[in-house]
Structures are given as C-alpha cells and as structure tokens.
Amino acid sequence: MTSITSLDHQFDKNHLWHPYTSMTNPLPCYGVKSADKCVLTLDSGEQLIDGMSSWWACLFGYNVEELNTAAKDQLDKMAHVMFGGLTHQPAIDLGKKLVEITPDNLEKVFLSDSGSVAVEVSLKMALQYWHAKGTPKSQFVTIRNGYHGDTFGAMSVTDPEGAMHELYHRFLPKQLFAPQPTIKFDEVWDESDLDEMTKIIEANHTNIAAIILEPIVQGAGGMYFYHPEYLKGVRLLCDKYDLLLIADEIATGFGRTGKLFACEFAGITPDIMCIGKAITGGYMSLAATLTTTHIAQTISDGKAGVFMHGPTFMGNPLACAVANANIDKLISFDWQKNVLNIEKQLIEFLAPCKTLTTVKSVRVLGAIGVVELNNAVEVAKVQKQFVDLGVWIRPFGKLVYIMPPYVIEEAQLKQLCDAIFQVAKNQS
Ligand SMILES: *Cc1c(COP(=O)(O)O)cnc(C)c1O
C-alpha cells in the first residue's frame, strides 16, 4: 500500500520555489503533516516545538479552536465577495477593532492582502497626500538594516546592503538612508544618535514625503532593538519639518514586543501605520494600512479624488472573520502577562549563550529572543541540528532567533533555548 501521508518531496524539489533559495539546488525542506498548539508534526512523524510562529504570525499556536470556528462559520456564509461596491460584517467588525486598538488618531483603514502590499499602500498614501496638497514630493527616508517587504516600493526602503538593491538598482527608486540607530533599547540615551537623521532631513526635507521605519524592533533586517527616544526624536523631526511618519508594525504589532504596538514604547502616533503578519493569528494572508482623517481627507479632496489602489481580494471576508476572532482572543486574554513572562524566561534560558565564545550578543524584548553569532551559520546544517533536537528554528546569517507563540509552555521554551545553546556552542 502506498502511504498517502508521505509527501512527494521530489516534485516539491523539482517544481516549487521556496523563499530565498535556489530553484535548482534548494536548501532542504521538511514536510509538515499537521500542527497543533506549539508543535509541528512532520510527515516523518517527528514532532518539533515551534520557535518561529510561522514568521511572527501565530499568536496562539496552531489549530486554534476559536479561529477554526470563525473560518468555518464564515465559509458557510461566503468565502469572498469583491469589496468594490460591496461590504460585509467581517470587514466592518475588523475596521472597528483596528481603529479601537491602534493609536488614537488612526481612523481610516485600508485592507489589503499582505504586508508588502500594506507598505506599498502606505508609500502611495504619502505620495498622494503631497500631490493632493499641490506640493508633490518623491523621496522617502528610512534607517539602515530595515526590512519592509519584497515588492518594489517596499524593497526601495529596505536596507540597501541586502542582495536586493544590488540586483534591482536600475529599476528601484533611490531613497535616503540614515544609519541604524546605535543606542540600543536598554542603553542610556544620547541625543547624538539622531544627528545623521537630522542632517539628512535638514538637507532634503522639501522633497521628502515620509520617514518610514519599523518602530523599536528591526526584524528581518537584523533583529535589532533600538532606543524609544530615537523614535520619539524622529516623530519630533517629522513635526518640525512637516513630514509624514509611517510606522511599519507588520512584525511588531499585536503584542509581540510586550506592547500592543511598538510605537507605544515611545508614546508616539504615526501618520500611517502598516500591520499584517499576526493579524489573522497565522491563518491566512491579510494586512492593513491605517491613517488619519486628515490624510484621508486631503487625498480625497485632491485632484484625483480617490486613492489609487484596490486589490482583488481586498477585505476578504474569510480572512477578516479569522482576524476578528484572533483579535478578540488576544484582547480577552492576558496577553501582556504572557508575553512578559516569556520575556523573563527567554532572558533566563538564553543567558548561558552569553558565555559562549561563538556568540556576539544575546538580546530579548517581549516574546522575541535573539542570539547573534560571530559568524554566519550554514542554514541546512544548522536546520538539521535543530530538527534533531526536536525544535523548529530557522536562522539567517549570524542570527539565531525565536519568537514563539504566546501560549508556549515553560518547558517547551526551555527546550528551544537549550537547542540554541547546543547549536551555538558547535559553531565556529
Ligand atoms: C514581513 C514584513 C513585511 C512584509 O510582509 P509580507 O506579508 O511578507 O509581504 C513588511 N514589513 C515588515 C516589518 C515585515 O516584518
């Protein structure tokens, strides 16, 4: 009898592109049969504790009862209808929740299908805002080591040292890059950290549409936590020079850092905010770009009179219904206590890594734990070591990091951290 559970890995290898890997000589892939709570079950039967939350997305792990129910109930009503000329309860409910939980002046919600698209929408909103005011501007400022997605506008504000600018530079718009903030989250603040950013703005502000950055936590560009005063300073610069501030909370949103949104560390409100990843608790692709009444009004009063974007799956009812159940669950659950508890455990369980000569730095913020090595890892090899240790952790470059589901148990978290120690110890 042929086993129906064994995956056709050969087909996968021959025909399916996986993220950031070669089509013809890809990094190895593990087949997943199912996932429940914080455990992934491979087609080989092995069980792995999940340290990645499927790239920041799963807040409550997998196979979450409330989210399953929300998806099934919505499926019986309608999976999708176009958002042009039609609306529905799941989108309205989601809009209300997002306006409620995000910083106060963010009141207008643009739903889209992925984080990168939410970023494109934010850039277009900023450009259209200035266009509508009769003072068109064409550049964005950001900080180095940022990551904002893989579409062209998003790539243009992503760190230029990554491979992407090199490949596409003839096509990419040229943006302005301030250095990465040097004062870390828990270090003593020094105003001079804003000097370079200030210079760039002073010299170019008449053509700058907005500053875009990831508040406090830079994710895929380096897993780096910078000082909240930097973000406060950027907000003040935006106010002083009349620039818009776009906060990309796609990774940081929904409690991951210990605050519902990372902007709260600095007590600031952006003019435009992008959210995605965890919005549906890891169930399906959905994102949103929120902005102020003033910006929406200005765009709408402009010559175009409309905002020029409208994805086919905008406001997808299934995704909205799951997002609603996810946000309800988050808000009704003592998420902050859980995240801060995970933070405490991460600090304790990752501390031994600090003693290793192979480790450059260990940092923790909220439910994010990062071990930066001195040298880049060999992903395929390290991946296998982790799988052999019963955990799912996927490093990139010198960074071995985890951001587990908020419902992870202490023993599971310990196993994740112990595995990082073991693997880090065996690096060069
Ligand atoms: C992941 C990410 C994006 C892109 O989101 P996708 O859903 O992958 O398109 C944008 N910004 C940040 C900060 C992210 O972490």
Side-chain angles (χ1 to χ4, degrees), residues 110-126 148-151 153-154 212 246-250 272-277 279 285-291 307 309 311:
F110 192 101
L111 298 169
S112 62
D113 17 33
S114 78
S116 299
V117 175
V119 170
E120 298 294 328
V121 165
S122 74
L123 302 176
K124 287 172 75 171
M125 276 182 185
H148 297 285
D150 292 348
T151 50
I212 177 169
I246 302 172
D248 179 350
E249 293 253 14
I250 290 166
I272 303 175
M273 186 163 117
C274 306
I275 51 178
K277 287 197 163 94
I279 190 170
S285 194
L286 181 70
T289 308
L290 285 94
T291 192
F307 180 59
H309 209 96

Side-chain angles (χ1 to χ4, degrees), residues 124-368:
K124 287 172 75 171
M125 276 182 185
L127 292 173
Q128 226 180 303
Y129 169 79
W130 293 111
H131 189 269
K133 279 173 73 96
T135 48
K137 301 184 179 198
S138 64
Q139 269 195 315
F140 292 90
V141 179
T142 186
I143 50 182
R144 285 190 183 262
N145 292 80
Y147 175 78
H148 297 285
D150 292 348
T151 50
F152 277 99
M155 268 200 296
S156 78
V157 288
T158 288
D159 191 78
E161 296 298 312
M164 301 196 286
H165 280 248
E166 170 77 16
L167 278 168
Y168 308 121
H169 76 274
R170 284 167 201 284
F171 189 72
L172 278 181
K174 297 274 175 295
Q175 315 294 12
L176 298 165
F177 291 87
Q180 183 180 45
T182 59
I183 312 284
K184 302 189 179 80
F185 184 81
D186 49 6
E187 289 180 342
V188 178
W189 172 241
D190 181 342
E191 288 289 337
S192 67
D193 216 20
L194 281 158
D195 287 355
E196 292 303 316
M197 175 63 96
T198 307
K199 275 187 213 156
I200 289 173
I201 290 172
E202 280 171 353
N204 302 281
H205 65 92
T206 53
N207 191 35
I208 297 172
I211 302 183
I212 177 169
L213 41 69
E214 294 155 280
I216 310 301
V217 175
Q218 293 188 293
M223 302 299 294
Y224 180 77
F225 314 144
Y226 64 87
H227 203 286
E229 288 294 330
Y230 186 92
L231 184 56
K232 255 191 223 172
V234 167
R235 176 71 266 182
L236 290 173
L237 283 168
C238 288
D239 294 342
K240 181 170 172 193
Y241 289 98
D242 196 18
L243 312 177
L244 302 181
L245 177 59
I246 302 172
D248 179 350
E249 293 253 14
I250 290 166
T252 47
F254 301 100
R256 179 56 64 181
T257 62
K259 302 282 186 195
L260 200 50
F261 296 97
C263 282
E264 293 168 25
F265 281 112
I268 61 120
T269 298
D271 302 292
I272 303 175
M273 186 163 117
C274 306
I275 51 178
K277 287 197 163 94
I279 190 170
T280 64
Y283 268 51
M284 56 245 283
S285 194
L286 181 70
T289 308
L290 285 94
T291 192
T292 63
T293 299
H294 169 67
I295 290 173
Q297 188 70 52
T298 306
I299 290 172
S300 305
D301 288 347
K303 212 161 68 190
V306 296
F307 180 59
M308 296 304 287
H309 209 96
T312 305
F313 284 94
M314 185 168 182
N316 174 250
L318 258 185
C320 290
V322 175
N324 286 327
N326 178 55
I327 295 169
D328 285 347
K329 189 169 165 70
L330 182 68
I331 300 303
S332 63
F333 153 94
D334 201 347
W335 65 269
Q336 197 165 30
K337 186 166 147 238
N338 268 53
V339 169
L340 295 179
N341 205 23
I342 291 172
E343 179 176 67
K344 221 164 51 192
Q345 292 166 6
L346 282 171
I347 291 170
E348 181 190 336
F349 300 154
L350 289 176
C353 290
K354 290 186 186 164
T355 64
L356 297 171
T357 55
T358 52
V359 169
K360 183 170 171 213
S361 118
V362 175
R363 38 192 193 258
V364 172
L365 183 67
I368 312 167

Side-chain angles (χ1 to χ4, degrees), residues 18-66:
H18 284 264
Y20 309 107
T21 192
S22 160
M23 179 70 248
T24 52
N25 184 25
L27 289 167
C29 261
Y30 297 84
V32 185
K33 194 163 57 181
S34 62
D36 186 65
K37 299 200 177 69
C38 300
V39 174
L40 310 179
T41 301
L42 300 187
D43 61 343
S44 60
E46 278 171 286
Q47 297 207 309
L48 307 180
I49 297 168
D50 177 37
M52 306 305 292
S53 294
S54 287
W55 278 338
W56 312 83
C58 288
L59 301 183
F60 302 105
Y62 304 85
N63 196 20
V64 182
E65 194 186 331
E66 296 92 324

